[in-house]
Amino acid sequence: MLSCVLAESGTRGPLDVEYASAITPGELVRERVPAYGFPENAARALGRIAAYAAWRQQPPALYWTFDDLHPDEARDLCRAAVDSRGAGWLTGEETRRVLNAFGLPLVPTVLARSADDAAALASVVGYPVVAKLQTRTLVHKSDVGAVQVGLTSERAVRAAFRDLTAIAVNHPPNPDEGEGVVIQPMVSGGVETMIGITDDPVFGPLVAFGLGGIHVEVLGDVRFRIAPLTDRDADALIRGIRGYKLLQGYRGHPPVDIDALRELLLRMSRLAEDVPEIAQLDLNPVMALSPGNGCRIVDARIKVSPRRSGVSAPAMATTTVAT
Ligand code: ADP
Ligand code: MG
């Protein structure tokens, strides 16, 4: 119960009230009723109470874990990279191994060492394919024309190999570390999103989610949450971006597989926690496909640096998801 009382200035609530008990006959009940000078304030207070009641009625949020994770493998690899080369970006091959250790859905990405090799790999991967130049020295590949999408024939693949080899003169790859021209299947029909990890000096690892692809920097539609994420945190991240409507389907475009995005965010949260050497991780884009078809990572990079210290994970209620 709330009250709204107009009184002389200086008179303040709450009001002391007395009334006959409806439960015990003859008993007098004494209560204090919050009082507000204006109805707007009373309505605001009731709104807060209603929101709090709705929040309390939600099912408890859960920390998920998965039974197909290999954190030791990813941690050993990142530590070895820091020990041998110091802070910096992982190679394409190392990046693939870290993502695989956490069951993150990277599209098959294979290194072609010649035009013949590229043509043979394209027919194994299945047309249409994408060819791109992958080297640690080239951060934004499409800026220099180093990504060729929608290649539908052997001829197109051979031509792409030649073009990318010419670009490689200015951005030399290291084939011993799995760098060079890579072939991937072309993923079409999804919405481009991005998922990342950054290391905040105060809060530790943060997980980022937003719309992705080469336009993401223009739109800046990205949200962050502190790891570890609960399933409810992951849903709030997904629903929190301005472009959420694009993920729900619009004008004949189907919606995307939100369950798969949530799972990907929760796996990323585990990676952020379990491998403290990860200073930055960008999956951009992650192609979010229609419900039941999951998502595919088509571009990934990971920066490692000497281990974070001091931030330990809180005790958690977890649920294991069988895969
Ligand atoms: P970079 O970010 O370094 O420029 P990406 O590998 O992210 O290079 O490629 C740039 C863009 O090309 C992506 O945002 C996406 O639109 C497209 N693209 C890249 N690889 C694929 C793929 N396998 N399937 C479909 N589109 C792709
Ligand atoms: Mg990219």
Side-chain angles (χ1 to χ4, degrees):
M1 189 195 293
L2 298 179
S3 61
C4 185
V5 180
L6 282 176
E8 295 198 2
S9 72
T11 312
R12 289 198 165 237
L15 301 178
D16 291 316
V17 293
E18 279 183 7
Y19 57 92
S21 166
I23 301 162
T24 320
E27 192 182 275
L28 207 58
V29 181
R30 290 192 173 83
E31 276 188 12
R32 313 191 84 195
V33 176
Y36 296 86
F38 293 97
E40 290 88 339
N41 295 349
R44 219 169 273 137
L46 276 177
R48 290 279 162 87
I49 291 167
Y52 178 62
W55 181 78
R56 288 198 51 151
Q57 272 170 11
Q58 293 179 103
L62 287 170
Y63 291 102
W64 290 18
T65 182
F66 303 88
D67 60 7
D68 61 347
L69 306 184
H70 304 286
D72 292 345
E73 213 176 298
R75 205 162 29 226
D76 291 349
L77 188 156
C78 292
R79 273 183 202 160
V82 173
D83 290 345
S84 63
R85 307 194 298 262
W89 297 103
L90 295 185
T91 66
E93 182 54 29
E94 289 168 338
T95 302
R96 287 194 273 283
R97 284 173 49 200
V98 170
L99 299 185
N100 286 339
F102 278 79
L104 298 166
L106 182 68
V107 290
T109 305
V110 283
L111 181 69
R113 290 173 188 270
S114 65
D116 285 345
D117 206 12
L121 289 170
S123 60
V124 173
V125 162
Y127 288 101
V129 297
V130 175
K132 50 179 99 166
L133 178 65
Q134 212 169 52
T135 96
R136 266 180 297 156
T137 51
L138 184 54
V139 173
H140 298 296
K141 297 177 285 298
S142 35
D143 286 0
V144 295
V147 179
Q148 294 207 10
V149 298
L151 307 174
T152 53
S153 67
E154 185 180 326
R155 218 171 127 208
V157 171
R158 286 176 182 278
F161 186 89
R162 271 195 304 277
D163 295 348
L164 295 174
T165 308
I167 295 170
V169 173
N170 297 324
H171 308 277
N174 184 347
D176 294 339
E177 293 184 339
E179 293 183 347
V181 176
V182 294
I183 305 290
Q184 291 180 338
M186 171 89 189
V187 182
S188 47
V191 176
E192 297 198 17
T193 63
M194 71 79 63
I195 296 179
I197 297 173
T198 59
D199 196 21
D200 183 273
V202 175
F203 295 108
L206 309 181
V207 177
F209 175 73
L211 289 183
I214 52 179
H215 305 304
V216 70
E217 279 145 35
V218 182
L219 297 173
D221 190 9
V222 180
R223 291 277 184 283
F224 296 87
R225 285 252 163 172
I226 302 170
L229 299 187
T230 65
D231 46 6
R232 213 189 288 154
D233 292 330
D235 285 338
L237 258 183
I238 296 169
R239 279 198 293 263
I241 61 167
R242 287 197 298 272
Y244 178 55
K245 281 201 174 133
L246 292 178
L247 307 180
Q248 292 176 297
Y250 65 101
R251 299 229 175 150
H253 286 260
V256 307
D257 195 334
I258 299 282
D259 290 346
L261 277 180
R262 179 192 305 116
E263 179 173 335
L264 187 37
L265 284 167
L266 295 171
R267 284 176 182 269
M268 283 284 276
S269 164
R270 291 301 312 267
L271 174 56
E273 266 189 285
D274 289 349
V275 188
E277 285 77 11
I278 293 184
Q280 187 183 335
L281 192 163
D282 303 315
L283 308 179
N284 186 14
V286 175
M287 304 293 201
L289 303 178
S290 53
N293 290 311
C295 355
R296 304 282 185 285
I297 302 160
V298 307
D299 186 27
R301 57 190 185 130
I302 301 177
K303 190 190 239 173
V304 288
S305 67
R307 190 187 158 72
R308 290 189 298 266
S309 60
V311 187
S312 63
M316 300 189 299
T318 59
T319 177
T320 300
V321 180
T323 42

